[in-house]
Amino acid sequence: METENKLDVAIVGAGIIGVMSAWQLAERGHRVTVYDQWNTPNDRGASAGESRIFRTAYKEGADYVPLMQKSLPMWQDLQADRDVPILEMCGGLTIGSPDQVDVQSVLECAKSLNLEHEVLERDEMAKRYPQFGLDDGEIGVYDPNAGIFRPELAVQTAREAGKKLGAKYRPYTPVLNIRPTVEGVTVDTAEDAERFDKVVLATGPWATKGGWGKTFAPAKVQARRLVAGWFPAKDVALHQPKNMPISIRRHPEAGFSCFPIMDGTAVKILPHHLDWVDIESPEELPRLIEPEFVRGIERAVERLMPGLDPAAVRVSTWTEGFTPDSAPIVGPSPTDDRVVLAIGMSGQGFKFAPAVGSVVADYVTNNESADAIGIMDPNRFDEE
């Protein structure tokens, strides 16, 4: 779909949100240049970590579900010619006591939108999914429209889709400044200065770093450290996506996201009950994780994942940018509407990144989007 009014558009940041925005903008015929201080994909921002979760019955609220529903066929289109799937649909479980708040939220979301789902009592869940250690009284809310991503492959594929449509990439090119003028918006790098009609900020945990980031963002985006551990499966086949759903566990002793095997041997566990530590800047992300943190993940695995060896064979860390209310910021900057924000994904953005890219393209092209949702509106911070 081409637009008659072709614009020169810069995108700052080439993680999943940036590459999806580039793909959608190039598909509409705009001339797109993507800047990143590293290459793409890379392991320094939020589009790393081997796997990500897709789910439709959403504990964060029903407002987000249309973005998931719009994104799913876009993901399927993107991976149509790939031998290895970007998104493998394996179903998803939310596990916990019936009165646990996230379990209730998932059920409420599914029921309010009439989403396909199933409530499994403990005995039925144990029979169907012996991978999980279950306590008496726990239930599982099964979402058949859930799955697991290969995030690095997703970034690479979206990048190539945009490049085929004419998008240009400038890796290892940090943006030093963004200067709105009467004629347009100028992007300064150490190599040159180039003027654009519109600029998209998709800078992840770097969103409010430096003067120009703070100028256009309506609220501070806090960089946080996320840490995951990988645990060998005793029965590898049982823990692969064809036999094991993604899961979110809520238990008095631990909370975590659980990802089926993607590397051939180990299940990934991302703990929620251990602090996601604030860091001053993504450049200060510590790669060496303190032993007690790792032991905290291991204790959760030992208690609740009986099919895994509870000694982590690998630990990895990356960063994400969080807003004050943990909802993304997507839309024109209150400072200058020629700058479109797609920042502060707060751990949510990967699954609906294609829809965010489409919303960004709407704003760049028409200054409005029928798919935008109020919870992401940049102007919601005006009263703070």
Side-chain angles (χ1 to χ4, degrees), residues 11-23:
I11 297 176
V12 184
I16 192 62
I17 300 299
V19 297
M20 286 293 183
S21 298
W23 173 39

Side-chain angles (χ1 to χ4, degrees), residues 41-278:
N42 63 64
D43 67 350
R44 294 167 177 84
S47 299
E50 185 189 79
S51 52
R52 284 289 184 279
I53 283 174
F54 181 86
R55 49 196 167 93
T56 304
Y58 205 52
K59 66 181 177 60
E60 287 81 357
D63 288 347
Y64 292 99
V65 173
L67 295 179
M68 257 77 76
Q69 293 172 327
K70 182 179 177 70
S71 291
L72 183 54
M74 298 173 76
W75 282 115
Q76 292 166 338
D77 288 346
L78 194 65
Q79 70 180 9
D81 298 326
R82 297 214 69 113
D83 294 331
V84 177
I86 295 170
L87 172 59
E88 193 166 350
M89 300 301 283
C90 58
L93 278 172
T94 302
I95 304 172
S97 65
D99 59 355
Q100 203 280 329
V101 61
D102 287 343
V103 175
Q104 290 183 338
S105 295
V106 168
L107 271 172
E108 182 180 344
C109 176
K111 291 176 180 177
S112 67
L113 297 178
N114 197 28
L115 301 176
E116 188 179 0
H117 71 286
E118 186 178 0
V119 179
L120 302 177
E121 301 295 334
R122 180 195 180 281
D123 290 347
E124 174 62 22
M125 187 165 40
K127 180 179 178 181
R128 192 186 302 187
Y129 301 115
Q131 301 93 338
F132 307 106
L134 304 169
D135 288 354
D136 290 340
E138 288 191 304
I139 65 169
V141 183
Y142 181 72
D143 173 6
N145 295 306
I148 188 167
F149 290 110
R150 293 174 171 85
E152 293 87 356
L153 181 61
V155 172
Q156 179 190 35
T157 305
R159 180 198 69 193
E160 291 307 300
K163 289 173 73 173
K164 287 179 181 178
L165 295 168
K168 298 187 300 182
Y169 276 77
R170 296 187 61 180
Y172 301 110
T173 308
V175 170
L176 304 179
N177 198 16
I178 296 174
R179 295 181 288 118
T181 66
V182 174
E183 295 81 11
V185 184
T186 299
V187 174
D188 294 324
T189 71
E191 299 172 8
D192 56 24
E194 189 170 354
R195 190 172 67 210
F196 296 90
D197 298 304
K198 300 284 183 76
V199 172
V200 176
L201 296 188
T203 42
W206 286 269
T208 51
K209 182 190 174 188
W212 56 267
K214 295 175 183 176
T215 296
F216 298 108
K220 180 177 175 60
V221 177
Q222 176 64 55
R224 289 180 185 160
R225 182 192 76 169
L226 280 68
V227 179
W230 279 257
F231 297 83
K234 300 170 187 176
D235 182 339
V236 170
L238 188 64
H239 291 80
Q240 292 178 336
K242 63 182 178 181
N243 294 316
M244 179 180 177
I246 61 95
S247 61
I248 295 175
R249 189 63 187 271
R250 294 293 180 258
H251 188 275
E253 298 176 30
F256 53 83
S257 299
C258 178
F259 304 72
I261 289 173
M262 303 295 279
D263 68 354
T265 61
V267 170
K268 173 183 163 186
I269 301 292
L270 176 66
H272 301 166
H273 64 292
L274 305 173
D275 286 341
W276 292 1
V277 178
D278 290 353

